[in-house]
Amino acid sequence: MATYYNDNTIIYLNGEFVKAAEAKMDFYSQSLHYGYSVFEGIRSYKTVNGKTKIFKEIEHFKRLKNSAVAINMPYHWSADQLIDATYEVLKRNNLQDAYIRPVVYAPANMKFDVNENSFIIIEAWEMQPFLGEKLLRVMTSSFQRPNPKGFKIQAKAAGHYVNSILASQEAKANGYDEALLPDMNNNVAEAPGANLFYEKDGKLFTPALGNILPGITRATVLEICDKMNIEVEERFFTIEVLKQADAAFFCGTAAEVIGFESLDDYRFPLNWTESVSKQIQSAYKDLVVEKDLTPAKQARTKKIIPI
Ligand code: PMP
């Protein structure tokens, strides 16, 4: 099991910086009992200039708020305040290449009604620099992503991740690296914790929004395509269509951009190193360490809905 903290690790807990090993949480919290909390997954990187930069920090803290509001959790923090707190957590833990996990959680409440207050923690732990070279063997999951008629699927809510855990565990139990889940209409949706793109004849495709988490990395890939004049289309498509693609990749804050070797028994025919997808991977890798700032400065294309 990974080690996330030690006796010296500091977390942000409701306005204070405290030791992770000594921090307390209410065991009667509605969040623990019902999976009723929201969170973010954020990365910071040591940039080419040696400084620590949280990648797309505003987008992540906006999504945290949107997630809380979507499931009726009170939310009373500003993005600025939480970004400052996050940099302070990184500094106090001497972290540069890190994974950052804010969680908004509920007070003690065994009922289902709305709370008057919410609480927040921000944790961070070390992450290895970019590891995207390995190609994945992916399995089509027997699980579908949660139906948007049953869940606020655009929210990064903890309870949704039981679905992710089931799908990922199933794929690994079957000898694969990761799962790919369809939506309730049997179109391709996303991975347990990442979005998907595929490449066909030099053009990229990605599932349209509606039944997936609107990924910040997905939006970044769309920006990179715009910048590099790579044609890209957001639409619904089936697993069968994906199995005619030249190449495919998952993208997410933690996964970054990571190519597929295969999906079930279909091997993607294009050599990864010769794919447009690989160019996206390299551009993303440069962007997060501020090697090339241009895409970040680009205006968002009208296709991308800021979240
Ligand atoms: N889909 C799911 C279900 C996820 O958990 C994640 C990770 N947050 C993503 C997609 C990718 O989102 P992002 O690029 O914002 O990390």
Side-chain angles (χ1 to χ4, degrees):
M1 278 289 170
T3 323
Y4 297 101
Y5 69 100
N6 59 34
D7 284 347
N8 300 318
T9 303
I10 300 291
I11 63 170
Y12 177 81
L13 174 69
N14 301 314
E16 287 175 58
F17 296 92
V18 299
K19 284 195 166 175
E22 291 166 10
K24 289 198 175 70
M25 191 196 146
D26 196 325
F27 289 131
Y28 295 77
S29 165
Q30 207 180 24
S31 302
L32 178 65
H33 290 254
Y34 306 124
Y36 183 68
S37 64
V38 295
F39 68 101
E40 267 305 315
I42 313 176
R43 281 290 316 261
S44 65
Y45 292 89
K46 182 180 178 181
T47 69
V48 284
N49 298 324
K51 67 180 176 97
T52 308
K53 177 75 177 85
I54 304 171
F55 187 63
K56 300 251 168 161
E57 68 277 44
I58 295 168
E59 286 85 344
H60 280 285
F61 281 106
K62 270 190 187 163
R63 188 170 66 186
L64 184 67
K65 180 175 183 177
N66 290 348
S67 295
V69 170
I71 68 165
N72 312 321
M73 295 185 85
Y75 192 95
H76 51 80
W77 302 276
S78 73
D80 278 353
Q81 169 192 8
L82 296 179
I83 291 165
D84 286 351
T86 305
Y87 273 111
E88 187 61 27
V89 168
L90 293 173
K91 200 169 128 198
R92 291 195 187 211
N93 292 292
N94 203 14
L95 291 168
Q96 288 201 287
D97 282 300
Y99 186 83
I100 300 151
R101 172 52 59 84
V103 185
V104 174
Y105 63 97
N109 183 1
M110 290 303 119
K111 295 184 279 182
F112 295 154
D113 47 12
V114 174
N115 300 296
E116 277 171 17
N117 200 5
S118 298
F119 305 111
I120 191 163
I121 54 167
I122 303 174
E123 301 166 343
W125 56 89
E126 191 157 9
M127 277 286 269
Q128 294 304 314
F130 204 86
L131 287 174
E133 298 304 325
K134 184 178 158 278
L135 294 180
L136 297 178
R137 295 173 56 254
V138 179
M139 174 188 157
T140 302
S141 185
S142 70
F143 296 97
Q144 293 180 340
R145 284 297 287 159
N147 187 328
K149 290 183 179 159
F151 293 88
K152 294 287 178 76
I153 193 75
Q154 80 280 12
K156 205 165 163 57
H160 302 173
Y161 283 82
V162 175
N163 170 262
S164 298
I165 287 172
L166 290 172
S168 200
Q169 290 180 350
E170 177 192 54
K172 282 161 192 163
N174 283 282
Y176 291 88
D177 297 315
E178 194 47 284
L180 173 65
L181 292 90
D183 67 16
M184 76 289 186
N185 300 319
N186 267 326
N187 285 315
V188 172
E190 58 191 332
N195 292 116
L196 170 131
F197 282 78
Y198 78 81
E199 175 179 341
K200 181 77 179 171
D201 299 328
K203 181 175 171 181
L204 295 186
F205 298 85
T206 194
L209 296 181
N211 306 325
I212 56 173
L213 187 80
I216 290 163
T217 319
R218 177 185 178 278
T220 306
V221 169
L222 293 173
E223 286 172 5
I224 290 172
C225 288
D226 191 40
K227 164 86 186 355
M228 293 172 69
N229 281 322
I230 296 165
E231 228 188 314
V232 58
E233 192 180 324
E234 298 168 76
R235 66 176 175 93
F236 296 108
F237 53 86
T238 60
I239 296 277
E240 287 67 41
V241 168
L242 180 56
K243 286 186 178 175
Q244 289 161 13
D246 301 331
F249 61 87
F250 283 145
C251 67
T253 299
E256 301 175 318
V257 174
I258 182 158
F260 282 30
E261 177 184 303
S262 58
L263 175 62
D264 306 323
D265 52 12
Y266 177 76
R267 275 185 80 93
F268 288 86
L270 189 60
N271 192 334
W272 177 254
T273 52
E274 287 156 25
S275 64
V276 169
S277 302
K278 161 73 188 175
Q279 291 175 34
I280 301 277
Q281 184 184 51
S282 302
Y284 186 78
K285 190 175 163 177
D286 289 348
L287 186 62
V288 295
V289 296
E290 300 193 330
K291 214 164 158 189
D292 174 12
L293 276 173
T294 327
K297 285 182 185 157
Q298 283 266 321
R300 287 168 178 275
T301 64
K302 56 180 177 306
K303 272 186 270 175
I304 305 164
I305 302 156
I307 42 164

